[in-house]
Amino acid sequence: MTRYARITGTGSTLPPQRLTNADMVAMLAPRGVDTSDEWIVERTGIRARHFVAEGVYASDLAVEASQRAMTAAGVEPSEIDLIIVATSTPDMVFPSTAAILQHKLGIAGCPVFDVQAVCSGFIYALTVADSLIRSGTANKALVVGSEIFSRLLDFNDRTTCVLFGDGAGAVVLESSDVPGILATDIHADGKHTGILCVPGHVSGGQILGDPLLKMDGQAVFKLAVGVLEDTARATLAKAGKTTQDIDWLIPHQANIRIMHSTARKLKLPLDKVVVTVDQHGNTSAASIPLALDHAVRLGRVKKGDTVMLEGVGGGFTWGSVLLDF
Ligand code: UT7
């Protein structure tokens, strides 16, 4: 019998502090940084984002999202035999945020590690978990995207600081006789490192280089719209499906214009696209599981629906996962 991996529960969390575009305008004005609700909404679709309080870490958000996903799946922490956390904002340089999450969940023994593929991180993590489940290495995996991008933002740079937010999303992925994940497709091209990066690093007890986010938005935009169409078509081809089979497109939530352009290229009506960027901003590796969980809890994504998840981001990385929910 073929062994598949299937999502059996989703969960997510957002920190309580919500900042609207008007809040951002007021926060940035004393710095002499000029922006407006009109510009942000028109160019990105973002209306609000959430920022964590001091002392809250990616593992804390991951714990909440994971507990909700496990409750939805009816799975106890003790049953989890693999944890993968996708994050670019880990609690520490090492150990992994997955190790810290494991301990906070009160379990031990199972393999745990982080995946660092920036905004494609959840797609990468789901792809790895799918392989480990199909190979028989794991049976019940927690796959989490958790990010605190607010700590990487340069609040003197209006071209980036209004775009990002904090949050976490998680899924329980279990072995199953019926599919689940139908096909996956992941890629990277490291020559584009410079267009989206946080160039600083720790050396000899100091931070060397700039530890704040840098982005050439237009370069990222152009690459993103191309690869998101390509990877969706590649995953569909691997699964022997067509765009007509897609019930829901859940792309990385970075910019509504990129999402609409992807939907147009795939000839998908916009009402099949799950959009949370307006309320969450860009939460990097957390954006896709956050959007999935919101759509599930609103009763939009239902059992049996065919869902295309797509990520793109720093690295440059991109990829997609086609699944039956
Ligand atoms: O998560 C990984 C994936 N990331 C992405 O997918 C992001 C991809 N890129 C984008 O989403 C868009 O390129 C941005 C939203 C970052 C920028 O939008 P854009 O339409 O490409 O704007 P732009 O960079 O061409 O800037 C247009 C103008 C500039 O002014 P001038 O030079 O025309 O006078 C900017 O200075 O908009 C100005 N501008 C702003 N104005 C008000 C840039 N940021 C702001 C701002 N408020 N926050």
Side-chain angles (χ1 to χ4, degrees):
M1 200 185 293
T2 311
R3 202 178 144 90
Y4 297 99
R6 186 174 195 121
I7 293 176
T8 55
T10 66
S12 66
T13 191
L14 292 161
Q17 190 195 2
R18 179 175 181 270
L19 288 100
T20 62
N21 289 344
D23 294 328
M24 292 300 288
V25 170
M27 186 177 110
L28 297 173
R31 295 170 176 264
V33 175
D34 180 27
T35 188
S36 65
D37 176 53
E38 293 73 25
W39 189 94
I40 302 170
V41 171
E42 188 188 312
R43 306 310 294 168
T44 73
I46 297 168
R47 293 178 185 276
R49 73 287 292 143
H50 292 247
F51 285 174
V52 292
E54 224 174 287
V56 175
Y57 293 93
S59 66
D60 299 313
L61 299 183
V63 168
E64 285 181 25
S66 299
Q67 281 168 337
R68 288 173 189 163
M70 287 187 291
T71 302
V75 163
E76 292 296 322
S78 58
E79 296 175 70
I80 296 295
D81 60 7
L82 170 69
I83 300 177
I84 308 179
V85 176
T87 187
S88 298
T89 49
D91 292 23
M92 301 182 185
V93 173
F94 69 80
S96 67
T97 302
I100 299 166
L101 169 64
Q102 182 195 39
H103 184 61
K104 287 184 176 173
L105 291 176
I107 56 177
C110 69
V112 302
F113 57 94
D114 287 0
V115 162
Q116 219 285 36
V118 201
C119 304
S120 311
F122 185 75
I123 297 294
Y124 270 61
L126 206 52
T127 299
V128 174
D130 174 52
S131 299
L132 291 173
I133 286 179
R134 281 191 295 104
S135 70
T137 305
N139 284 307
K140 287 187 202 311
L142 255 182
V143 186
V144 187
S146 186
E147 298 281 23
I148 301 190
F149 260 55
S150 59
R151 298 214 173 107
L152 300 177
L153 297 177
D154 178 352
F155 289 101
N156 293 311
D157 176 9
R158 69 177 181 173
T159 69
T160 54
C161 72
V162 298
L163 305 177
F164 295 89
D166 304 334
V171 301
V172 174
L173 193 69
E174 295 192 52
S175 59
S176 160
D177 297 341
V178 288
I181 291 183
L182 303 172
T184 62
D185 181 63
I186 51 175
H187 299 275
D189 184 349
K191 78 167 172 280
H192 299 296
T193 300
I195 63 171
L196 178 48
C197 58
V198 177
H201 64 277
V202 177
S203 176
Q206 291 184 318
I207 295 164
L208 296 189
D210 191 338
L212 298 176
L213 185 147
K214 309 272 170 265
M215 180 166 75
D216 176 345
Q218 287 193 3
V220 173
F221 194 104
K222 279 188 202 125
L223 277 172
V225 290
V227 298
L228 286 172
E229 181 189 8
D230 295 346
T231 187
R233 293 202 184 279
T235 317
L236 287 167
K238 287 183 198 181
K241 302 263 184 192
T242 71
T243 53
Q244 312 259 304
D245 296 310
I246 298 174
D247 294 310
W248 293 102
L249 176 68
I250 309 188
H252 169 49
Q253 309 282 317
N255 186 318
I256 192 73
R257 292 186 290 140
I258 297 177
M259 295 158 69
H260 284 175
S261 148
T262 306
R264 270 194 301 272
K265 286 178 175 212
L266 296 173
K267 299 200 170 44
L268 286 175
L270 295 184
D271 59 7
K272 287 193 170 186
V273 184
V274 173
V275 176
T276 51
V277 69
D278 55 331
Q279 295 302 319
H280 301 171
N282 180 346
T283 58
S284 190
S287 92
I288 295 168
L290 256 166
L292 172 64
D293 184 51
H294 276 244
V296 169
R297 282 172 199 270
L298 286 171
R300 300 182 78 199
V301 170
K302 295 189 205 62
K303 207 168 161 51
D305 284 355
T306 300
V307 183
M308 172 71 78
L309 309 178
E310 286 197 281
V312 61
F316 204 69
T317 56
W318 65 99
S320 55
V321 173
L322 185 70
L323 58 89
D324 282 346
F325 188 74

